[in-house]
Amino acid sequence: MTVRAVIFRLATPGSLADTARMTTAILKRGRDHTITRRHPWIFSGGVDRLEGEAPAVGDTVIVQDADGQPLGLGAWSPASQIRIRMWTFDAAQPVDAAFFEARLAAALAVRAALPEAWRNTDALRLVNAEADGLPGLVVDRYGDFLVCSFAAAGVDRWKAEIVAALGKLHPCAGIYERSDLDVREHEGLPPVTSVLAGAEPPPLVEIHENGCRYGVDVHQGHKTGFYLDQRDNRAVVAACATGRCVLNAFAYTGGFGIAALKAGATSVTHVDLSAPSLALAKENTTRNGLDAATSEFIEGNVFEVLRKFRDARRAFDLVVLDPPKFVESKGHLMAACRGYKDINLLALKLLRPGGILATFSCSGLLGPDLFQKIVGEAALDARRNVQILRRLAQAPDHVESLAFPEGLYLKGLLVRAE
Ligand code: SAH
C-alpha cells in the first residue's frame, strides 16, 4: 500500500514509560461500579478531582477509585459528558502505538474468524468502537478502501498511530476519514473528512454483498456510506421476496429493495425523502442488471406516502420499514413510540393477507421489548393477526460487548400478517 504519511502532530502522546507524568482522575466514592464491571464510560459527575497537570484533550489519564486504587487508563474528554473512555482496566498496560496496533489486530482477527457464510461481502465493519476496546473508533471496509470515523477525543488524539497500524495490518488502496458526525461536537472536535492514507476513494466505491452490487458514496453518504449493519437483514428480506410486490420504505440507496428484486420480487416501490439517495438507488438498480420498469422511486415523506397508499387502496406482499433513529434522547421516547406505531400501523394496513413486514428501529434508547409492544399495538389497531417469524439484529461484524449494552441499537421483527 502506498501510504501517504500524514503527520498529525509533532509530539507523540506520552507512552506509559512516563506514567509518572500522567494525570490521575480520582472517582467519587461509589462511582467505580461501572468500571469494575468493565463498562468503558465514566461520566463527568463520576470524577471527583484530578491530580497532576491538567490533561489536554484526548490525553491518557490514570483512573483511581476514591481509595486510590488504580482502575485502569482512559482518554480524557473535557468537553463531553462522557468525561473518560477507558482504554484498559489494567493501569500497568502501556497505551502507545503498539497498544493500538494490538487492539486493531484483535478486531481484524474477530472478523477473519467469522464463519465464511457470514461474510459473503467485501464491505464490513472491521472495528466497532467500544465493543472492540477502541471507544469512538469505527473502521468500515468498502472493497479496497477503509473508511474511518473518529468520534471521541481519545481516538482522535491517536489518529496517526491508528492509521499507520491499519495500513500495516490491512493493506488497502486508501484510508478515508468520515469524522463529520454530530457527536464530535459533544467532544469539542470539529467535523473532518479527508484522505488519511493512500488514494482518494472514487465518487462511488462498488461493493458486493450477498450477490448484489451497490455503489457506495463514502464521501457524502450516511454514516461511512452504507448501512452495513443491515446486511443479514437484507438477506432475510431477499429470502422472503420471491414473487412478492415489495414496498421499501426509508429506502436510502435501495439496499433492501434491490436485494429483494434480485431474489425474484415482482416489483419494488422505494420511498425516501432524499432525492440523491433515490438517484443512487436507481443507479444501483441498473448496476445489478435489473429491469428498471419493475422499480418505482418515490421522493416523499413515508408518513404521508403510506397514508396516500392506504387511501388509494394500494397493497403490497412485503413491506420493509427501516426508519432513521427517532429517539435522540430520553425526552423523545414517547413521541418516537407514536411515530413507530404510526408507520407500523400503516404498513400493516397495506399488507395483503399472508403479507410480510420487516420492521426495524435503530434507536438505542428503545429496547427490543418496547419495540415489540409497539408493533403489537399497531397490529391490534390494524385488526391484523400477526405472527413473529424472526427477530432481527445487527450483523455479526457489528460485534457487541456484554459489558457495553449501549452497543446494541438495531432491532427488527419479521412478521407475517394473516
Ligand atoms: N434501509 C436503508 C437504510 C435506511 S436509512 C438501507 O438498508 O440502506 C433511513 C432513510 O430514511 C434515509 O435514507 C433518510 O433519507 C430516510 N428518511 C428519513 N426520514 C424520512 C421520512 N420521514 N420519509 C422518508 N424517508 C425518510
Side-chain angles (χ1 to χ4, degrees):
M1 168 182 163
T2 48
V3 174
R4 198 182 74 200
V6 181
I7 310 295
F8 292 95
R9 57 182 180 279
L10 292 171
T12 4
S15 80
L16 279 228
D18 42 34
T19 347
R21 286 202 289 111
M22 275 174 27
T23 306
T24 301
I26 296 148
L27 302 189
K28 289 185 184 153
R29 192 162 296 283
R31 294 301 287 265
D32 52 354
H33 57 281
T34 54
I35 298 306
T36 50
R37 297 180 63 81
R38 299 199 154 230
H39 190 286
W41 291 353
I42 298 168
F43 286 92
S44 57
V47 180
D48 185 50
R49 63 187 190 279
L50 290 175
E51 280 180 2
E53 263 180 51
V57 178
D59 267 358
T60 304
V61 296
I62 303 166
V63 178
Q64 285 185 357
D65 70 12
D67 296 321
Q69 288 304 312
L71 299 171
L73 303 168
W76 181 249
S77 190
S80 174
Q81 282 302 309
I82 306 169
R83 192 57 46 92
I84 300 172
R85 286 179 173 81
M86 297 301 285
W87 290 130
T88 168
F89 300 96
D90 171 4
Q93 185 178 17
V95 175
D96 53 11
F99 168 88
F100 288 98
E101 188 173 329
R103 285 277 159 100
L104 291 168
L108 295 177
V110 168
R111 277 63 183 184
L114 288 176
E116 188 78 39
W118 293 3
R119 40 189 178 97
N120 190 7
T121 178
D122 58 2
L124 74 167
R125 179 148 299 186
L126 299 177
V127 180
N128 197 27
E130 273 75 352
D132 280 306
L134 291 165
L137 177 70
V138 160
V139 182
D140 287 338
R141 174 189 167 200
Y142 292 103
D144 290 338
F145 291 89
L146 299 185
V147 183
C148 309
S149 148
F150 296 83
V155 281
D156 201 67
R157 174 79 197 260
W158 290 93
K159 196 184 281 179
E161 290 75 8
I162 289 169
V163 172
L166 273 175
K168 186 168 145 193
L169 296 167
H170 196 290
C172 59
I175 304 178
Y176 190 69
E177 174 176 16
R178 279 293 304 274
S179 299
D180 50 347
L181 314 144
D182 296 345
V183 287
R184 286 207 15 133
E185 218 177 290
H186 304 306
E187 297 283 315
L189 302 169
V192 193
T193 57
S194 69
V195 177
L196 293 173
E200 176 157 12
L204 291 180
V205 179
E206 182 169 278
I207 63 160
H208 306 86
E209 173 190 291
N210 292 318
C212 295
R213 296 157 182 267
Y214 298 103
V216 177
D217 177 357
V218 303
H219 299 264
Q220 312 258 327
H222 295 177
K223 311 217 275 185
T224 58
F226 200 64
Y227 288 85
L228 296 173
D229 51 359
Q230 288 284 28
R231 180 187 321 108
D232 289 6
N233 301 327
R234 282 188 282 271
V236 167
V237 163
C240 298
T242 316
R244 291 187 190 257
C245 159
V246 179
L247 170 62
N248 186 22
F250 306 97
Y252 187 47
T253 55
F256 279 101
I258 287 162
L261 262 191
K262 190 100 181 164
T266 52
S267 68
V268 173
T269 300
H270 300 274
V271 183
D272 204 284
L273 272 180
S274 153
S277 297
L278 286 175
L280 188 46
K282 203 179 252 180
E283 208 267 359
N284 280 331
T285 306
T286 45
R287 191 182 280 269
N288 283 278
L290 296 162
D291 179 3
T294 55
S295 297
E296 182 186 16
F297 302 89
I298 299 179
E299 183 187 334
N301 183 337
V302 165
F303 289 84
E304 291 162 13
V305 174
L306 265 51
R307 283 200 159 71
K308 279 189 195 139
F309 284 174
R310 178 199 60 193
D311 297 344
R313 299 192 176 278
R314 271 193 75 166
F316 298 87
D317 307 305
L318 173 56
V319 177
V320 179
L321 281 182
D322 184 22
K325 190 156 107 184
F326 286 165
V327 195
E328 292 296 342
S329 68
K330 281 187 184 149
H332 288 126
L333 190 58
M334 285 316 289
C337 290
R338 283 194 290 275
Y340 284 115
K341 182 173 169 197
D342 192 26
I343 50 173
N344 279 282
L345 171 58
L346 286 163
L348 287 167
K349 284 190 171 167
L350 297 178
L351 276 184
R352 293 203 179 94
I356 290 177
L357 168 66
T359 178
F360 299 94
S361 159
C362 60
S363 301
L365 289 168
L366 177 76
D369 291 350
L370 181 53
F371 182 60
Q372 183 175 322
K373 277 200 185 105
I374 293 169
V375 179
E377 290 293 320
L380 273 179
D381 285 11
R383 297 173 196 276
R384 299 297 295 264
N385 188 14
V386 167
Q387 293 163 310
I388 296 176
L389 302 178
R390 267 178 102 147
R391 292 169 198 282
L392 306 169
Q394 61 217 49
D397 51 326
H398 290 58
V399 287
E400 296 157 42
S401 159
L402 284 173
F404 182 68
E406 291 87 340
L408 172 65
Y409 60 96
L410 182 64
K411 65 219 72 86
L413 291 172
L414 187 77
V415 303
R416 180 184 184 277
E418 209 172 282

